[in-house]
Amino acid sequence: MHRVFIPLDVTEPQIPPLQAVSRTFCGNSMGTSWTVQLFCLPAHDAQTLQAGIQAELDLVVTQMSTWEQSSQLCRFNRLPALEWQALPPEFFKLIDYSLYLSQQTGGAYDITAGKLVDLWGFGPAGKRSTAPTEKDIQAALRAGNWKSLELDHLHRRLRQTGSIALDLSAIAKGFALDQIARYLDSQEISSYLIELGGELRGLGMKKDQSPWWVKIESPSGSNGNIGTQHQEYLVALHGLSVATSGDYRQYFEQDGHRYAHTLDPRTGYPVTNELASVTVLHQECMVADAMATALTVLGCSAGLEYANQHQVAALFLQRTTNGFEEKMSKALIAMLD
């Protein structure tokens, strides 16, 4: 059985002109692959579009990658205590929104968890097969949290207050999709579907006047001991983005216990709330990306309450002994067709 979601409060999608041609572009970035499907005029040069898309992705990597040691983020992480670093507008926007979301969620979302991410084996330091010690976890927590960051709005700069290590992996991919969308908009392309590492952003419709239908990523089949199949979810992706945070993507097992890659920055440990996945739909993929992580950390009950208070369209799939239990926020229910 399908659940179908239709976007609300968006402009009427434009039908591509008769002379529009379908093109698909693809490549690699940020440790994953990307694909852009679009309809454009014959006058649009394919090589120019490919290069323009890649340039937006390269900009995000240059500024925000934890893996490229020359990135602005890595340079900030190496700064001596109390030094300032000037931020380009894109980097500043992510820090500004991240601090807002941290405050809103009581620290459930925190971009200063870089040392924790590395410690648990989910960062550039490499994978691990055993849980770190309590002593090491507490040391990583003492490196600082979001409240330790000093962001100077007037001069658009950020202060390294001690030994903070930023990690933007829960928001940078989403922002990269937004950057690609802004580029395509600037080229007057009004029908496209962008995918990067499982996250999506779409606009417009196809020549047959059908929308860009996408499936919400599912944890079904990711764990052999899950029995009951849940519904299939379809979204008409016009003026919308979709991002999913799931405990089935990256994890390691030790003594029968699974440690997933989504960490609770308040405790220093991976989340253990039985949430298999959280999917968020939002106009900005940056917001959907970060919000999916924040709601996962909050858990189903507190996450659903937050989503309802802030009109966030969110789908929660929670593991039970009988399979998955589905919970939807009011904003998502309103989108049901």
Side-chain angles (χ1 to χ4, degrees), residues 63-87 91 95 111-118 123-125 143-144 149 158-169:
Q63 293 187 17
M64 308 166 198
S65 173
T66 55
W67 303 81
E68 296 290 338
Q69 290 302 303
S70 60
S71 73
Q72 300 220 7
L73 180 144
C74 287
R75 282 162 47 198
F76 174 83
N77 288 348
R78 294 192 298 265
L79 274 185
L82 305 182
E83 282 203 16
W84 292 94
Q85 180 169 312
L87 303 180
F91 199 162
I95 300 295
I111 58 171
T112 68
K115 280 188 165 60
L116 275 175
V117 173
D118 260 353
L149 280 180
L158 187 66
R159 195 176 198 183
Q160 171 62 273
T161 50
S163 55
I164 286 175
L166 298 180
D167 187 318
L168 296 173
S169 57

Side-chain angles (χ1 to χ4, degrees), residues 30 32-36 53 56-57 60 171-185 192-202 237 240-243 283-286 288-289:
M30 305 172 75
T32 187
S33 60
W34 63 265
T35 303
V36 175
I53 294 166
E56 298 298 336
L57 290 160
V60 175
I171 191 172
K173 270 199 307 180
F175 181 76
L177 269 78
D178 294 338
Q179 285 290 105
I180 294 171
R182 280 187 277 271
Y183 168 71
L184 296 177
D185 293 344
Y192 54 75
L193 178 65
I194 311 163
E195 187 270 336
L196 171 65
E199 296 180 0
L200 298 144
R201 177 166 169 162
L237 215 61
L240 272 183
S241 301
V242 56
Q283 289 181 344
E284 283 190 272
C285 200
M286 172 191 80
D289 194 5

Side-chain angles (χ1 to χ4, degrees), residues 4-24:
V4 177
F5 300 101
I6 305 296
L8 306 173
D9 303 323
V10 292
T11 57
E12 189 74 21
Q14 295 182 34
I15 303 170
L18 287 175
Q19 67 269 37
V21 292
S22 172
R23 295 194 185 279
T24 300

Side-chain angles (χ1 to χ4, degrees), residues 97 100-106 108-109 287 291 294-295 298-314 316 329:
Y97 176 73
Y100 164 79
L101 188 58
S102 294
Q103 188 273 330
Q104 288 280 301
T105 60
Y109 180 80
V287 175
M291 191 67 69
L295 297 180
L298 286 172
C300 193
S301 178
L304 188 59
E305 182 181 358
Y306 179 94
N308 285 333
Q309 285 178 348
H310 297 270
Q311 293 80 52
V312 177
F316 299 79
S329 68

Side-chain angles (χ1 to χ4, degrees), residues 309-326:
Q309 285 178 348
H310 297 270
Q311 293 80 52
V312 177
L315 170 68
F316 299 79
L317 293 178
Q318 192 159 18
R319 285 190 170 87
T320 71
T321 53
N322 298 317
F324 294 102
E325 183 179 358
E326 165 202 280

